[in-house]
Amino acid sequence: MKHLYIGGYGPGIVTGDGELTRIASPSFLAAHPALPVLYAVGELAQGWITALRAGNGLSPLAERPSEGHTPCHVAVHPSGALLAVANYGDGTASIHRLDERGAFTGQAIALRHKGSGPVADRQEGPHAHQAVFHEDVLHISDLGTDEIRRYTLDGEPLEPLRLPPGTGPRHMAFAGSRLYVVGELDGVVTAIDGDARFTGLASRAGSGNQPSHLEVHGEHVYVANRGPDTISVLRAEDLTTVAEVPSGGAWPRHFAVDGDRMYVANQHADVVTVFALEDGVPAPTGETYRVESPGCVLPV
C-alpha cells in the first residue's frame, strides 16, 4: 500500500497522513485499475460521482450525476473502461463509460427497478446497495427486493438471483464461481455456486446485528457486524465461524484488507482501526486513524 484514502460522512476524503480533500459526503471510494484516478460517490438526494486525479493530493478531473437518489457504492470494471454506481435511495443502478484519462464519456445507462420486500420499514421499494463486476456481468445487490440483479455491460437485464424474503442483501464478493452475500436484515451469509447454496451466521452475538461489508481472502470470509461491533471470520468452505473479534470502535461500516493488514472504518467512533491478520484472524496493532464519521477505507 502506498496510500490510504478514507471516505465517509465527514468534510471530505482524508488520506492516511491527514490531508483533507473537501467533497460533500464521499461515502464510498474506488480506484481505477491502471490510472492514478479515484472515484467518489456523494451520498446526497441528488447523487453525484466525482473523478479525482491522485498524486500530490487529489484534484478534480470530472463530475456527473449518479442517475439516482443517495448513491452508496461505486465500482470500476477491471478493464478500466466502465464504472457502475448503486443508488440506495431509489434503487437505480447506473453504468458510465470512462475515457483514456479515466474521465466520464458518453451517456450514462440508468438501470431502474421496481419491487419490495416483507420488512415494511426497510423494503418498501428497491434499494441498490453494491455494484460488482464479475465475468463481464454487472451484479447489483438490492436490499429492498431481496435480489442480486444482473445485467450485461450494455445494461441488458439478465435473470436475477433471488434470496429468501427479508434477507436484505447488502454486500457481496466472488471467489471463483462462488458468490458470497450478506443479508443486512437477517444477519445471514449465503454462498451461491450454481444451483448449490449454503448459509452461516454473520455473528454469534444474537439479535440486533446489521452486517455491513463482506470480503473473501484466501480460505476466509470476513464480515463486519454493526450492533455487536465485531469482525467475524468464517471458513469460506462451509461458512462455519473461525473467530469473532471486536472491531476497535462502534458501527463498523466498512473494512479493507491489504496484505497482512485490515483497516476497519468505525463510523460512530470516528476512528479507523488497524489489525494484523494472524493466521487469518484480525489482531489489534494499536494503530488508529482519527477521522470524522468514516464510511469507507481504500488502500492503493
Side-chain angles (χ1 to χ4, degrees):
M1 180 188 72
K2 294 182 180 179
H3 300 283
L4 179 67
Y5 297 99
I6 304 166
Y9 301 91
I13 300 172
V14 179
T15 62
D17 57 11
E19 183 178 348
L20 171 66
T21 300
R22 291 191 176 276
I23 294 179
S25 197
S27 66
F28 208 87
L29 311 173
H32 193 283
L35 300 172
V37 177
L38 233 60
Y39 301 93
V41 290
E43 196 166 321
L44 305 170
Q46 293 184 335
W48 54 266
I49 328 163
T50 296
L52 302 131
R53 296 185 187 90
N56 294 322
L58 297 173
S59 59
L61 173 63
E63 188 172 84
R64 66 159 48 174
S66 69
E67 301 296 324
H69 182 299
T70 319
C72 62
H73 192 268
V74 58
V76 186
H77 188 273
S79 68
L82 295 172
L83 175 147
V85 175
N87 292 280
Y88 179 85
D90 61 3
T92 300
S94 56
I95 300 173
H96 306 259
R97 299 200 177 276
L98 304 175
D99 64 18
E100 66 279 357
R101 301 173 301 143
F104 309 114
T105 184
Q107 294 294 315
I109 302 171
L111 307 171
R112 309 197 188 280
H113 197 55
K114 296 180 180 180
S116 61
V119 183
D121 61 339
R122 297 296 309 278
Q123 296 185 307
E124 78 293 343
H127 292 300
H129 225 310
Q130 189 187 29
V132 172
F133 290 105
H134 180 69
E135 294 182 348
D136 285 342
V137 173
L138 174 61
H139 297 72
I140 302 292
S141 56
D142 196 314
L143 181 146
T145 64
D146 294 317
E147 295 172 305
I148 306 300
R149 296 152 51 185
R150 301 194 299 167
Y151 301 91
T152 70
L153 299 186
D154 293 323
E156 294 299 319
L158 302 171
E159 184 69 19
L161 301 174
R162 293 182 173 85
L163 293 157
T167 295
R170 183 180 171 102
H171 278 201
M172 54 189 166
F174 278 93
S177 63
R178 182 175 291 178
L179 173 65
Y180 297 90
V181 57
V182 65
E184 178 176 338
L185 302 183
D186 69 356
V188 171
V189 179
T190 301
I192 304 171
D193 197 346
D195 294 330
R197 297 190 180 197
F198 57 93
T199 62
L201 288 177
S203 171
R204 295 175 296 183
S207 62
N209 182 27
Q210 296 182 51
S212 57
H213 187 55
L214 175 150
E215 289 191 20
V216 184
H217 288 275
E219 299 176 353
H220 298 118
V221 177
Y222 298 94
V223 186
N225 299 296
R226 297 171 300 176
D229 297 335
T230 61
I231 303 295
S232 290
V233 186
L234 311 178
R235 289 187 180 86
E237 181 182 8
D238 57 9
L239 294 180
T240 56
T241 301
V242 175
E244 185 171 355
V245 302
S247 68
W251 212 247
R253 187 177 185 88
H254 186 254
F255 64 85
V257 176
D258 184 67
D260 64 351
R261 290 291 186 269
M262 174 183 283
Y263 301 85
V264 180
N266 290 286
Q267 181 184 351
H268 291 176
D270 296 333
V271 67
V272 173
T273 308
V274 184
F275 295 85
L277 293 180
E278 298 179 358
D279 294 325
V281 176
T285 64
E287 183 181 359
T288 60
Y289 298 92
R290 302 302 305 186
V291 179
E292 182 181 344
S293 196
C296 173
V297 282
L298 178 65
V300 293

